[in-house]
Amino acid sequence: MNGIIHITPEQLGGGYLLLLIPLSVFLLKKVPIIRETGIAVIRMTVQLIFVGLYLQVVFRLNNPWLNLAWVGIMVGVADFSIIRGCGLRLSRFLFPVFIALAAGTLVPVFVFMGAILQRSNCLDAQYVIPLWGMILGNCLRADIIGLKNFYESLKKDEKLYLQSLAQGATLKEALDPYVREALQASLLPTVASMSTIGLVALPGMMTGVILAGVDPLTAISYQIAIMIAIFSGTTLTVFLALRLTLRRSFNSYGLLDPDVFRTK
Amino acid sequence: MRERERSFPPAVEMKDVTLFYGNRAILRDFNLEVHLGERVLLKGPSGSGKSTVLHCLLGLAVPREGVIRVRGEPVDSRSVWKTRLYLGYVPQEPDLGRGTVRQVLEGPFAFRANEKLRKNLEWIPSLLRRFDLAQELLEKQASTLSGGEKQRVALIGAILLERSVVLLDEASSALDEENKRRVAEYFRETPDLTILAVSHDAAWENFATRTVSLAPAFREESA
């Protein structure tokens, strides 16, 4: 197997020509997202250049504290965008969701690094940053679905929820159906992608490992390990996000505090 | 009744209760006492806080001031979980949730507090007959029921939980005259029950032992 082929900036510039296809379709059909697409392409380029340069430094130094700080920033940004994405109040959710995200990513990353890759340095930048990023990206999506589903269902089905309390349910008993539904909604996409993986599309990590010149059997081992890590991480983070936010969201009568939702 | 009043605390009691939703006063210095075995009709124009009175008793609305007791126990953040177990409740336009009617009726018995009442599920066939509902209804999806059927299923649900005080919020508004009569008759024939009913129906006027009128407490105030 050959190693990875390096792409020069000129070669990548040629790649941008492919954008003429969406641009022509948008112009032809007057799809009003040309401006947004332009901004998105520029943002993607700038953000990735920045991350690429930064990671180059991080990989060269390979300092565990610097790696951990970078991971901490990634978790913080994800935390912020989850709460904004759910329409919930930042001040109340920032801390519990941060803990849920940190635990939901830390456990699978360290199992991956320690038990599967058997690295003595669990904070090795080359592994820990991409792995953490992949798991975190999935945790972010799952937390948005889970928290949004949970709090919006409670608001929508308020009458039904209050009826359970009136019928003698404890807080846990009254909330269990909503927790169940939120977990199911947030985890089903990962379950679905596990069951079709390899048939519908070649997964990202496996493709990356193959492009780097590694044989396909090693590539699928990485893919299987990362899928399991993602699935266990998303389950843990959604469960913790729900569990840790509950205490701040309900009063001692079991009533949902309307202040959990962000007001415009 | 006199003797009961002396030896037992009131079934439900509200003393100088003031409750706001935002800046709007819904109840202001509201007082109410319902004694064991009484059937009280709560009347008042819409928006006067009738449903809120029931919510306060259930601890589903928390007043700013005043004292609420159910069977002598205060409805506060600590004991509300216990006082709810004294109360049956049929909400206005009940939402039965998902699942079949049987699942809806069995649902509350999964709660630990109601586990010992599970045998009451045996009453279902006779209650269905009593309220003019077919036995086959049990296997129907609750969401497909008509308004009147939903109300009667919610009533059956409240009866199965065998609470000593039953709070009814417009519990017969979607029923025809015949079924309204059946429901009122059921509660009249069960004298041990204490009833607090919010209703506009004339059928309940004859049935109530006392009527309490609520005047609107509207007054804008800063919270």
Side-chain angles (χ1 to χ4, degrees):
Chain A
M1 288 266 166
N2 300 316
I4 192 93
I5 302 165
H6 286 278
I7 302 177
T8 63
E10 295 77 30
Q11 286 166 317
L12 185 59
Y16 276 91
L17 289 177
L18 274 175
L19 288 171
L20 290 173
I21 297 173
L23 187 66
S24 324
V25 173
F26 293 167
L27 285 172
L28 186 71
K29 285 291 152 196
K30 297 194 171 64
V31 187
I33 56 168
I34 296 177
R35 200 179 121 84
E36 287 87 339
T37 309
I39 294 171
V41 170
I42 293 168
R43 276 193 63 161
M44 170 185 77
T45 311
V46 173
Q47 281 165 203
L48 288 180
I49 287 175
F50 170 74
V51 171
L53 291 174
Y54 183 83
L55 285 183
Q56 244 182 357
V57 177
V58 169
F59 283 2
R60 198 179 313 128
L61 296 174
N62 203 10
N63 176 316
W65 294 111
L66 192 65
N67 299 347
L68 208 58
W70 177 246
V71 161
I73 292 170
M74 293 202 300
V75 173
V77 172
D79 182 20
F80 196 79
S81 55
I82 287 169
I83 299 164
R84 294 300 294 250
C86 294
L88 297 170
R89 194 172 285 273
L90 266 178
S91 55
R92 235 174 234 243
F93 285 82
L94 212 54
F95 182 67
V97 174
F98 185 90
I99 299 293
L101 271 178
T105 44
L106 188 117
V107 173
V109 165
F110 280 97
V111 170
F112 201 111
M113 294 290 285
I116 300 172
L117 297 180
Q118 304 197 340
R119 304 286 301 181
S120 54
N121 175 10
C122 278
L123 285 169
D124 191 349
Q126 187 196 342
Y127 293 93
V128 82
I129 290 175
L131 284 177
W132 209 302
M134 279 191 83
I135 297 172
L136 184 64
N138 284 277
C139 285
L140 176 130
R141 182 190 47 75
D143 272 344
I144 290 181
I145 300 174
L147 286 172
K148 209 174 159 87
N149 181 298
F150 180 77
Y151 286 99
E152 285 189 354
S153 300
L154 269 168
K155 193 158 80 167
K156 183 168 66 73
D157 296 336
E158 190 190 18
K159 217 166 173 176
L160 205 56
Y161 170 70
L162 295 180
Q163 179 70 1
S164 303
L165 292 181
Q167 285 168 333
T170 59
L171 182 63
K172 187 181 163 300
E173 286 170 333
L175 290 178
D176 265 353
Y178 300 93
V179 172
R180 220 174 359 252
E181 206 183 284
L183 278 169
Q184 189 177 339
S186 58
L187 299 176
L188 265 181
T190 313
V191 174
S193 75
M194 279 201 292
S195 65
T196 56
I197 206 155
L199 298 177
V200 178
L202 283 185
M205 187 182 220
M206 179 176 157
T207 313
V209 175
I210 290 176
L211 284 175
V214 178
D215 78 283
L217 280 180
T218 307
I220 63 143
S221 304
Y222 268 86
Q223 190 59 45
I224 290 169
I226 193 71
M227 287 307 289
I228 293 170
I230 286 171
F231 188 51
S232 53
T234 48
T235 310
L236 184 61
T237 190
V238 178
F239 178 75
L240 285 177
L242 293 173
R243 188 76 193 75
L244 297 177
T245 57
L246 286 187
R247 269 188 48 197
R248 292 159 183 251
S249 307
F250 292 84
N251 66 16
S252 48
Y253 289 74
L255 308 177
L256 179 65
D257 186 343
D259 272 356
V260 301
F261 300 103
R262 193 174 65 230
T263 44
K264 278 177 196 161
Chain B
M1 180 65 68
R2 286 277 152 76
E3 199 149 320
R4 278 187 181 181
E5 281 179 29
R6 271 197 299 274
S7 50
F8 293 104
V12 301
E13 188 184 2
M14 294 173 74
K15 255 189 188 163
D16 302 324
V17 169
T18 296
L19 183 136
F20 280 76
Y21 280 147
N23 291 337
R24 203 178 125 192
I26 306 293
L27 298 173
R28 186 178 288 283
D29 298 324
F30 177 72
N31 289 283
L32 174 74
E33 251 186 41
V34 179
H35 290 273
L36 288 173
E38 269 197 298
R39 297 192 297 267
V40 174
L41 178 64
L42 197 55
K43 282 179 69 173
S46 60
S48 58
K50 302 185 295 294
S51 299
T52 307
V53 168
L54 305 189
H55 279 185
C56 282
L57 293 168
L58 289 157
L60 303 179
V62 184
R64 184 188 282 188
E65 282 167 41
V67 177
I68 302 172
R69 289 199 187 87
V70 173
R71 305 235 328 232
E73 293 187 42
V75 179
D76 56 27
S77 60
R78 200 177 311 167
S79 54
V80 65
W81 304 92
K82 185 178 174 204
T83 55
R84 279 178 186 147
L85 301 177
Y86 297 133
L87 303 171
Y89 174 49
V90 181
Q92 198 172 5
E93 294 166 19
D95 180 351
L96 301 179
R98 269 173 274 175
T100 62
V101 171
R102 185 189 297 280
Q103 288 166 331
V104 167
L105 291 174
E106 287 178 354
F109 294 91
F111 305 150
R112 188 200 274 266
N114 301 326
E115 267 174 0
K116 55 185 182 303
L117 299 169
R118 190 164 262 281
K119 60 171 188 348
N120 293 359
L121 289 169
E122 292 168 12
W123 304 347
I124 292 176
S126 69
L127 285 169
L128 287 172
R129 270 194 301 278
R130 175 108 207 206
F131 294 126
D132 195 28
L133 293 168
Q135 303 292 323
E136 294 77 56
L137 198 79
L138 286 175
E139 308 313 327
K140 266 188 156 181
Q141 287 298 313
S143 55
T144 63
L145 265 51
S146 71
E149 286 171 327
K150 278 185 186 163
Q151 271 190 340
R152 281 174 282 169
V153 169
L155 270 163
I156 291 174
I159 293 167
L160 290 174
L161 289 172
E162 212 183 346
R163 310 295 201 223
S164 57
V165 183
V166 179
L167 310 177
L168 305 172
D169 195 350
E170 301 286 2
S172 61
S173 58
L175 303 184
D176 57 31
E177 289 309 315
E178 175 59 18
N179 277 312
K180 275 179 190 163
R181 195 190 51 74
R182 282 171 196 265
V183 171
E185 206 169 272
Y186 174 86
F187 286 111
R188 196 178 308 139
E189 286 173 14
T190 322
D192 288 344
L193 284 179
T194 306
I195 310 282
L196 177 58
V198 169
S199 181
H200 288 105
D201 284 333
W204 293 89
E205 301 229 358
N206 306 325
F207 148 91
T209 52
R210 185 156 63 93
T211 301
V212 172
S213 292
L214 252 171
F218 295 166
R219 217 179 293 168
E220 298 292 326
E221 254 185 36
S222 57

